[in-house]
Amino acid sequence: MPDGRMQQPFFGMGHPKPSEAQSALRKHFIAAAGEFVGTFLFLFMAFLGHLMTVTTAGDSGPNKTLSASSVVYISLSYGFSLLIAAWMLYRISGGLFNPAVTLGLVVTGNLPPVRGLVLFPVQVLSGMCAAGVVSVIVPGDIKITQTTLNPAMTVAQGFFLEMFLTAQLMFTILILAAEKSKDTFIAPIGIGISLFVIEIAGVYYTGASVNPARSFGPCVASRQFTTYHWIYWFGPFLGALVAAGFYHFLKFMNYEDANPGQDSAGQHEVVGAGQPEQGRRRSGSGNGNENKERNQRSWEMDRVGSQGRDVERTGNGYGGPPRSRDGTSSGAPPRSRGSGRQVDMDGYGGPPRL
């Protein structure tokens, strides 16, 4: 087999359709496949960690409830499992893995309703599969992973706690992932940590479901439902709607204007070696002439360097072939200077260009 075919999907035996030729149904199918795999991996790893923690726990809380150490381990299992699964698959399906999150994204306009209808049953089915596989692949009772109320909690308390916990998760997803910014690509880290904090706060009291698929799967696998199982559906759904309502309020009020510049690249920031203003934000009309002078000097240095002259590096200027730190020439061509801000932390670069 030619080496080139080894790098192609299915070894080149078929040719994928270009994006513009793919139907909407095909795209929904691909997203559903990614969502099924992601939800399965998330809950499969989380259930295994949960089961191991409770089975091997050497202590317990009052009335055979979870101890503080068990709560921490369970929280780590769910939080980090979500972090990894979402980071792997958010480019494919969005990395939702939760019917309540799906609802929240639909009502905020961040997910088409048809896509939401496709993903909803896939997430529930995947949760059932994850719990079923765990129940047969390792020793222990999958019932341990069910979300149940603390004996001291009432059903109403459990319902509203699930609502608030889910609102926290939903708003984290909306503000970090749905709202695009320069740090959106690391949103899975914030979402995973958010779930970890939620689990720490709620596992002892309600099991901290915040995900109907997470609660439904173990109940199906163990063939046993609690009489208050409904709170693990309606509580998260209501929490997602609360977060969505607050999100709509912020968008309506143009929240970006309340604290502007949070996603700025810092074009007015000057950072350079040997400068007294190092690390400070410089703005205002008083620095305009000085900035223009720096830009002019930088342009002259670039012009001289491009003619092959050896202009020695200084703490805040450069020219000629780049020199290594031991003083020898590296032979590399002069670095071009773009239109963006140059940040020079060690003195090897020209003055900032605005």
Side-chain angles (χ1 to χ4, degrees):
M1 182 180 295
D3 292 339
R5 300 189 66 178
M6 293 294 294
Q7 301 174 1
Q8 300 178 17
F10 293 111
F11 310 112
M13 292 184 290
H15 300 285
K17 291 184 177 181
S19 298
E20 59 274 10
Q22 291 192 9
S23 65
L25 182 60
R26 184 187 182 97
K27 295 176 182 178
H28 289 318
F29 174 77
I30 296 171
E35 194 71 4
F36 180 89
V37 172
T39 306
F40 179 87
L41 291 176
F42 159 46
L43 293 177
F44 178 72
M45 297 299 176
F47 289 155
L48 285 174
H50 190 161
L51 191 61
M52 178 278 299
T53 298
V54 177
T55 303
T56 62
D59 57 351
S60 61
N63 300 321
K64 296 183 179 181
T65 56
L66 294 173
S67 64
S69 59
S70 296
V71 168
V72 172
Y73 285 120
I74 292 171
S75 301
L76 286 169
S77 297
Y78 285 93
F80 279 83
S81 294
L82 178 61
L83 189 160
I84 296 300
W87 215 342
M88 286 191 298
L89 292 158
Y90 78 93
R91 292 184 184 89
I92 302 172
S93 67
L96 311 184
F97 315 149
N98 185 336
V101 171
T102 301
L103 174 64
L105 292 177
V106 169
V107 298
T108 55
N110 289 293
L111 188 71
V114 175
R115 177 64 60 85
L117 290 174
V118 171
L119 298 184
F120 188 99
V122 170
Q123 294 161 347
V124 176
L125 177 62
S126 185
M128 295 166 56
C129 292
V133 172
V134 170
S135 68
V136 299
I137 205 170
V138 296
D141 190 356
I142 191 63
K143 182 182 176 182
I144 292 174
T145 64
Q146 284 188 356
T147 49
T148 56
L149 290 175
N150 185 291
M153 292 282 290
T154 67
V155 174
Q157 288 174 324
F159 172 81
F160 285 106
L161 182 55
E162 283 291 321
M163 180 196 74
F164 283 114
L165 295 177
T166 307
Q168 153 83 8
L169 178 63
M170 185 72 246
F171 188 70
T172 302
I173 294 170
L174 287 171
I175 210 66
L176 294 184
E179 283 292 285
K180 305 306 178 186
S181 65
K182 63 183 180 181
D183 55 358
T184 298
F185 74 101
I186 58 172
I189 296 179
I191 294 169
I193 294 175
S194 180
L195 181 60
F196 168 74
V197 173
I198 288 167
E199 296 290 323
I200 287 283
V203 162
Y204 180 78
Y205 300 104
T206 66
S209 171
V210 303
N211 185 343
R214 178 261 177 273
S215 291
F216 189 69
C219 290
V220 173
S222 64
R223 300 178 182 84
Q224 185 173 352
F225 288 80
T226 58
T227 57
Y228 51 82
H229 178 75
W230 61 271
I231 72 171
Y232 298 113
W233 288 81
F234 292 99
F237 285 151
L238 183 58
L241 293 177
V242 169
F246 184 56
Y247 175 80
H248 276 295
F249 166 76
L250 293 177
K251 296 289 286 184
F252 179 80
M253 300 299 293
N254 294 321
Y255 74 90
E256 300 91 345
D257 298 333
N259 193 16
Q262 295 307 301
D263 287 319
S264 172
Q267 289 86 350
H268 299 293
E269 183 179 8
V270 174
V271 181
Q275 298 178 3
E277 301 91 349
Q278 181 173 355
R280 296 182 185 177
R281 178 176 297 275
R282 304 184 62 185
S283 60
S285 60
N287 296 321
N289 294 332
E290 185 177 351
N291 291 333
K292 291 179 180 179
E293 292 175 2
R294 284 197 177 95
N295 289 339
Q296 181 66 22
R297 289 198 302 269
S298 176
W299 180 84
E300 291 291 342
M301 291 176 184
D302 282 345
R303 184 178 61 82
V304 173
S306 65
Q307 295 173 355
R309 299 183 182 180
D310 186 10
V311 181
E312 291 293 331
R313 287 182 186 241
T314 62
N316 58 0
Y318 83 95
R323 296 179 178 272
S324 61
R325 299 197 182 194
D326 61 2
T328 61
S329 175
S330 63
R335 291 183 293 178
S336 63
R337 305 192 62 80
S339 61
R341 176 178 62 94
Q342 297 289 332
V343 179
D344 184 26
M345 300 303 294
D346 59 358
Y348 286 86
R353 297 187 65 183
L354 301 181

